[in-house]
Structure formats: structure tokens, C-alpha cells
């Protein structure tokens, strides 16, 4: 009987840890939105070439490699860059890909990865995925995915911004919060 009680406590601990990670992600999003107004939809920061912004932070061992879109059957739709067009009512999976090119020992390898889709008019979050990730060492890859069904609720084209955040768990309470590793402004037609 004592074994089942330990299992129950472990389950409660796991659920509590998951809940705390989710709360931390929500708090981080609010802090980032306040700390980085340049990443709001009203005036998204774009690279000089007009492409998506990529802010890989050299303090992180983990590197962002790509942002991709897939249809509901996981058929590849291409890389997500500024001005990518999505069709209204057609579900997509947004996938952020990362790699760990260094640190074979896997030190400082606990991260929070967030994918957020914000509405261009209201800055409302319309899709969100938050994952706590642990890299085991150099050469490991990670793909974080979220589901989004874009809707064009106006006669004109609707704009959205897709943001991907990568934050070390031990840095969640530090200031400043890391800016998004990538930001792309997309359209729904």
C-alpha cells in the first residue's frame, strides 16, 4: 500500500510542476510583452532585409534553427517568414526547431520554449504552446509545435505575428527577459 501512495504523490508533484511551468510561461509572456513593445503587432521589428527577425542569444547553448508550417496531415507548407500567407479556416501546425551545437555535458540545459501567435489588430494571443525542454547534450535537436486555425474575420487581409521565445528556466526571474528568438508577421487571406 505504501507504494501506491508514493505513486500518487509523484503524480501530484508532476502535475504541480507542469502547472507551475505553465504559470511561469504566462507570466513570462506578459513580462516580455511589456519589456519588448517593439515586438507588439502594431510595430513588429523586422530585419533590415524585411525578413523575419532572428535573435539567437549567444548566452544560450541552444540555437534556433527554423520555423516551419505543416498542414493538418503534417504535409510541409514551407518556412515561416514575414509576409507568408495562410488560408483562412485551414488548420496549420507551427513548428519551431532548435539544436544544441555545443556543451556536450548538457550543462544549463533546462529551457522554456514558447510559441505565440498574436492577432494584428488586437494583440490578442490566438495560439500558444509552452514546453519545458531539457537537452541531454551536444547534437540533440528539439521541435516544439503548436496548432493554429487562422481565421480572417474582416473583408480585408488579417495580419498576425508569430513569436518564438527561448528562456533558461533558471533565468525566468531575471531581468531583462530574453527577446523572442524569432518574430514573423504573416497574413491570412
Amino acid at each position: 500500500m505504501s507504494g501506491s501512495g508514493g505513486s500518487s504523490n509523484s503524480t501530484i508533484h508532476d502535475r504541480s510542476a507542469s502547472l507551475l511551468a505553465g504559470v511561469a510561461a504566462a507570466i513570462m509572456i506578459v513580462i516580455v510583452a511589456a519589456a519588448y513593445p517593439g515586438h507588439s503587432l502594431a510595430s513588429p521589428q523586422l530585419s533590415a532585409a524585411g525578413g523575419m527577425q532572428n535573435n539567437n542569444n549567444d548566452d544560450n547553448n541552444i540555437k534556433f534553427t527554423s520555423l516551419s508550417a505543416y498542414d493538418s496531415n503534417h504535409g510541409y507548407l514551407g518556412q515561416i517568414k514575414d509576409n507568408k500567407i495562410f488560408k483562412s479556416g485551414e488548420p496549420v501546425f507551427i513548428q519551431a526547431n532548435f539544436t544544441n551545437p555545443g556543451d556536450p555535458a548538457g550543462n544549463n540545459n533546462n529551457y522554456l520554449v514558447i510559441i505565440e501567435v498574436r492577432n494584428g489588430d488586437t494583440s490578442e494571443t490566438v495560439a500558444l504552446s509552452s514546453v519545458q525542454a531539457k537537452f541531454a547534450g551536444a547534437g540533440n535537436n528539439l521541435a516544439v509545435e503548436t496548432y493554429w486555425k487562422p481565421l480572417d474575420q474582416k473583408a480585408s487581409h488579417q495580419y498576425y505575428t508569430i513569436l518564438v521565445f527561448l528562456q533558461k528556466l533558471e533565468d525566468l526571474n531575471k531581468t531583462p527577459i530574453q527577446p523572442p528568438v524569432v518574430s514573423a508577421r504573416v497574413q491570412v487571406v
Side-chain angles (χ1 to χ4, degrees), residues 12-180:
I12 290 170
H13 182 284
D14 292 345
R15 287 182 182 161
S16 296
S18 295
L19 179 62
L20 287 174
V23 169
I27 291 169
M28 181 181 159
I29 289 169
V30 170
I31 292 170
V32 168
Y36 295 98
H39 293 288
S40 71
L41 294 177
S43 63
Q45 290 183 343
L46 304 177
S47 68
M52 68 181 171
Q53 180 172 336
N54 186 337
N55 290 328
N56 266 331
N57 185 338
D58 290 336
D59 293 337
N60 289 327
N61 295 320
I62 309 308
K63 299 295 180 198
F64 170 80
T65 56
S66 65
L67 187 62
S68 304
Y70 297 86
D71 65 20
S72 59
N73 295 319
H74 273 82
Y76 183 67
L77 298 174
Q79 294 292 311
I80 299 175
K81 297 182 180 183
D82 282 337
N83 299 314
K84 177 147 183 83
I85 296 175
F86 292 97
K87 293 183 181 177
S88 180
E90 291 187 14
V92 295
F93 288 94
I94 299 169
Q95 186 180 81
N97 299 291
F98 299 88
T99 190
N100 184 4
D103 192 11
N107 295 326
N108 297 321
N109 56 2
N110 291 303
Y111 290 86
L112 184 64
V113 179
I114 299 170
I115 300 174
E116 182 180 10
V117 181
R118 294 184 191 166
N119 181 297
D121 291 332
T122 65
S123 294
E124 172 189 9
T125 297
V126 296
L128 177 67
S129 181
S130 171
V131 175
Q132 182 178 337
K134 182 171 182 166
F135 281 79
N140 288 315
N141 297 315
L142 173 72
V144 177
E145 190 172 82
T146 193
Y147 170 87
W148 175 42
K149 185 174 181 180
L151 297 174
D152 181 11
Q153 300 175 350
K154 300 189 301 183
S156 62
H157 299 310
Q158 182 76 27
Y159 289 92
Y160 292 86
T161 298
I162 300 172
L163 302 160
V164 178
F165 298 93
L166 175 67
Q167 184 76 34
K168 289 181 182 178
L169 288 181
E170 64 264 20
D171 292 343
L172 285 177
N173 62 351
K174 292 182 181 177
T175 322
I177 298 294
Q178 296 294 324

